[in-house]
Amino acid sequence: MVGMNLNDQMQGSGSEWWRHAVTYQIYVRSFADADGDGIGDLRGITSRLEHVRDLGVDAIWLNPFYTSPQHDHGYDVADYCDIDPLFGTLADADAMVERAHDLGLKVIVDLVPNHTSNEHEWFRAALAAGPGSPERDRYVFRDSTDGPPNNWKSVFGGPAWTQVSDGQWYLHLFDSTQPDLNWRNPEVGEMFVDVLRFWLDRGVDGFRVDVAHGLFKEESLRDQVFATSEEPVSGASAGESMVERTAVDEPMWDQPEVHDVYRRWHEVLAKYDGDRMMVAEAWTQSAESMARYIRPDEFSQAFNFAWLLAPWSAEAFAKVITGTFEAVGHVGGSPTWVLSNHDVDRHPSRYGGGAVGLARAKAATLTMLALPGSAYVYQGEELGLEQVEVEPEFRQDPSWFRTGKPGRDGCRVPLPWSGATPPFGFGPGQGQPWIPQPAEWAELTVEAQAADPGSTLAFYRAALAARREFSETAGEEIELVDAGEQVLSFRRGPVTVLVNCGTEPVPLPDGDVLMASGPVEGALPPDTAVWIG
Ligand code: GLC
């Protein structure tokens, strides 16, 4: 048995809404399309927010909607203070925020500080001004006559350096259209404080900070050293590379200087009312390094990707839970659980796909929702959507173009809302979305599932409602319970949670079944989770 107590850390946290919030992630281009161009937009989101409210979450996080040439679907920002015409206007953004607030939902927007688009005015100026100029010093340009300046690889595959016509090279840890900013230049920090204030003044409640562990690189820009001769995959983000990462020596990630940036941003946010928050996307190497981002004067949350990376195994889940609470406990933070997002294969597919994959996914979700801390739900998981095999002609992920591997488009297919044929109400009329939806999604639309008490949507609504009720009294302490090798079990307040990761049914403890991820009669079947109270 392992006991964990967060009570001390929760002192004085009464108004920190994000500590226990469930946030729904909206992938803007795939949520709902109001103007009928096949790509989701802000007016589409505003028109469908009731679905999110009815689900029973507390907040939404929107992927980037800023002006962008869309080489990485908006993570290549050309203007941080305007909306891409694909998605609407600033007035549409204001209306979306207002509607969300009216529905009781907080709004978190995405901030992309590691790199800009190569079409950002700063990068254009850097190219025009030439080597040695102050304009080039906002990015990481280097001379090298003998190939790229070091051996770093892009997270999306291939070298992390591109040469420009005068012979210099610029660093891009992602696509060549995403040049890395030079955070050692104070102008860069000033620019982002202005961007934060711009959105805070417009009423947003928080920021999801992209590649939060990347802003500073070791100053020497030394070569990365690899333990094996395998093709290096730098400690990363972005799809498969996150799962395959092997490097332990990472001069481009998680440098101590990044934390000064977040201390400054924390102060900026603290000047605003309403507990504005920040959540870090930081694919660090350990729970301890993740927890450094949520020290009291830095981020409010950091995604706990260890949970998402864990295989379907009681032992692996228990290890992640124990390690997470230990690490966040040391810094007075609380954990942030997530199973799916726009960068990884959807969790029903990761757990094997089909009926088994979905059963396991629901069980993992129910377990996540029982744990103290906050949780994120990615659009479409409430419908039980699986990863889609996207035909090559529709793929748009830059990693597909750089490596020839399928990439992340399969978790970004537009949502099915209603009707029997594509576009399933995603947009008006019969116009088809940017990625075709599978015909089988006819059974998975929001409309179809809302009418079916046995649907995945009904399960999510019930689980989120049960969580709200249960977390009011359950406290912040959990205790792992020994229920055999194949079963993860813990107690939180009056409730005992069990997940059967084995192949045989296991007996249930005494008590009432408060919530179950699948049918439970007398015993707990494989691939099922239950809350007993
Ligand atoms: C983050 C985003 C991912 C994006 C990358 C580069 O990992 O989640 O979608 O491609 O950063 O900005």
Side-chain angles (χ1 to χ4, degrees):
M1 277 198 195
V2 184
M4 285 159 277
N5 193 328
L6 281 177
N7 284 336
D8 297 344
Q9 302 138 29
M10 304 310 257
Q11 298 290 320
S13 64
S15 57
E16 295 175 332
W17 60 270
W18 40 266
R19 287 234 183 218
H20 304 106
V22 179
T23 299
Y24 182 88
Q25 180 190 348
I26 293 185
Y27 197 68
V28 177
R29 65 167 44 227
S30 298
F31 186 72
D33 170 23
D35 65 8
D37 64 355
I39 295 176
D41 46 41
L42 292 172
R43 284 196 297 118
I45 294 170
T46 305
S47 73
R48 294 283 193 185
L49 278 179
E50 280 168 31
H51 166 72
V52 182
R53 190 267 319 268
D54 292 347
L55 200 53
V57 300
D58 306 287
I60 52 173
W61 149 37
L62 287 91
N63 288 98
F65 44 58
Y66 317 106
T67 315
S68 160
Q70 302 291 320
H71 291 296
D72 187 21
H73 287 179
Y75 283 101
D76 47 326
V77 181
D79 183 347
Y80 290 88
C81 297
D82 207 350
I83 306 292
D84 196 278
L86 261 185
F87 304 130
T89 62
L90 278 171
D92 293 334
D94 292 341
M96 182 272 299
V97 172
E98 197 183 330
R99 177 75 183 135
H101 286 165
D102 285 349
L103 292 171
L105 298 166
K106 307 275 189 191
V107 179
I108 300 171
V109 297
D110 221 305
L111 187 75
V112 190
N114 180 66
H115 42 264
T116 69
S117 160
N118 60 344
E119 294 186 20
H120 190 281
E121 60 175 24
W122 273 10
F123 195 72
R124 291 176 190 271
L127 290 185
S133 60
E135 288 83 354
R136 280 215 175 169
D137 190 47
R138 293 168 177 154
Y139 294 89
V140 185
F141 276 90
R142 288 292 182 276
D143 295 316
S144 174
T145 46
D146 188 17
N150 68 23
N151 70 350
W152 296 0
K153 298 286 171 198
S154 153
V155 173
F156 294 153
W161 295 90
T162 290
Q163 193 167 28
V164 300
S165 56
D166 54 45
Q168 278 207 312
W169 300 75
Y170 67 90
L171 177 69
H172 52 87
L173 293 178
F174 293 87
D175 192 49
S176 55
T177 60
Q178 295 167 297
D180 278 52
L181 285 161
N182 173 18
W183 272 85
R184 296 185 191 278
N185 179 339
E187 257 190 281
V188 172
E190 294 308 317
M191 195 261 265
F192 277 95
V193 166
D194 289 345
V195 172
L196 286 174
R197 293 201 179 112
F198 178 87
W199 290 102
L200 290 165
D201 289 340
R202 297 193 97 86
V204 306
D205 302 286
F207 299 91
R208 176 267 190 190
V209 177
D210 188 61
V211 195
H213 59 319
L215 314 194
F216 282 82
K217 286 79 185 164
E218 250 188 58
E219 201 157 14
S220 65
L221 298 185
R222 67 175 173 84
D223 271 2
Q224 183 172 18
V225 182
F226 294 96
T228 67
S229 56
E230 282 172 58
E231 175 73 356
V233 178
S234 17
S237 68
E240 291 308 302
S241 53
M242 304 181 199
V243 181
E244 288 170 8
R245 56 187 300 204
T246 53
V248 287
D249 172 64
E250 300 188 327
M252 69 291 282
W253 304 114
D254 203 18
Q255 301 299 307
E257 295 95 322
V258 292
H259 296 285
D260 295 335
V261 174
Y262 304 129
R263 289 191 189 101
R264 182 167 181 208
W265 291 6
H266 184 103
E267 283 174 18
V268 172
L269 267 64
K271 298 241 157 44
Y272 286 78
D273 60 358
D275 270 319
R276 315 285 175 112
M277 56 78 78
M278 300 190 291
V279 52
E281 186 221 21
W283 292 85
T284 61
Q285 296 201 12
S286 65
E288 290 68 34
S289 49
M290 179 264 291
R292 283 201 286 273
Y293 288 76
I294 52 169
R295 286 176 288 198
D297 56 351
E298 298 191 39
F299 280 91
S300 328
Q301 306 176 326
F303 292 115
N304 178 22
F305 291 123
W307 176 245
L308 175 156
L309 295 173
W312 177 254
S313 141
E315 195 191 343
F317 287 150
K319 219 168 134 191
V320 170
I321 290 173
T322 311
T324 302
F325 279 101
E326 264 172 27
V328 303
H330 284 133
V331 297
S334 38
T336 298
W337 308 99
V338 57
L339 285 163
S340 276
N341 67 27
H342 65 293
D343 287 327
V344 296
D345 283 4
R346 286 184 175 277
H347 60 292
S349 305
R350 289 204 312 272
Y351 296 143
V356 167
L358 181 59
R360 290 177 176 178
K362 287 163 70 180
T365 298
L366 193 62
T367 309
M368 166 174 94
L369 293 178
L371 287 164
S374 59
Y376 281 69
V377 168
Y378 176 48
Q379 70 175 42
E381 67 171 85
E382 77 279 23
L383 305 178
L385 300 186
E386 285 202 41
Q387 194 72 6
V388 174
E389 184 117 3
V390 176
E391 292 298 328
E393 75 237 57
F394 295 107
R395 290 182 194 157
Q396 297 196 12
D397 185 343
S399 72
W400 156 248
F401 297 113
R402 291 178 70 88
T403 65
K405 291 187 188 165
R408 300 163 293 170
D409 295 304
C411 63
R412 300 172 173 181
V413 179
L415 287 192
W417 291 94
S418 58
T421 50
F424 299 120
F426 173 68
Q430 289 311 304
Q432 294 301 307
W434 65 279
I435 300 182
Q437 300 146 307
E440 314 85 78
W441 281 10
E443 287 169 19
L444 299 180
T445 63
V446 174
E447 182 183 50
Q449 296 202 40
D452 173 5
S455 67
T456 305
L457 177 58
F459 162 74
Y460 265 77
R461 286 179 177 167
L464 285 159
R467 171 189 162 98
R468 269 198 308 282
E469 207 170 294
F470 148 69
S471 57
E472 274 171 24
T473 54
E476 302 305 321
E477 184 179 323
I478 68 161
E479 186 181 26
L480 288 183
V481 177
D482 185 0
E485 266 181 29
Q486 307 292 330
V487 178
L488 168 72
S489 180
F490 59 87
R491 260 194 290 275
R492 182 175 171 201
V495 174
T496 302
V497 177
L498 291 98
V499 199
N500 185 353
C501 299
T503 52
E504 299 297 327
V506 294
L508 285 172
D510 290 341
D512 297 330
V513 174
L514 303 176
M515 201 45 229
S517 64
V520 171
E521 271 164 38
L524 181 66
D527 305 322
T528 309
V530 73
W531 300 359
I532 304 283

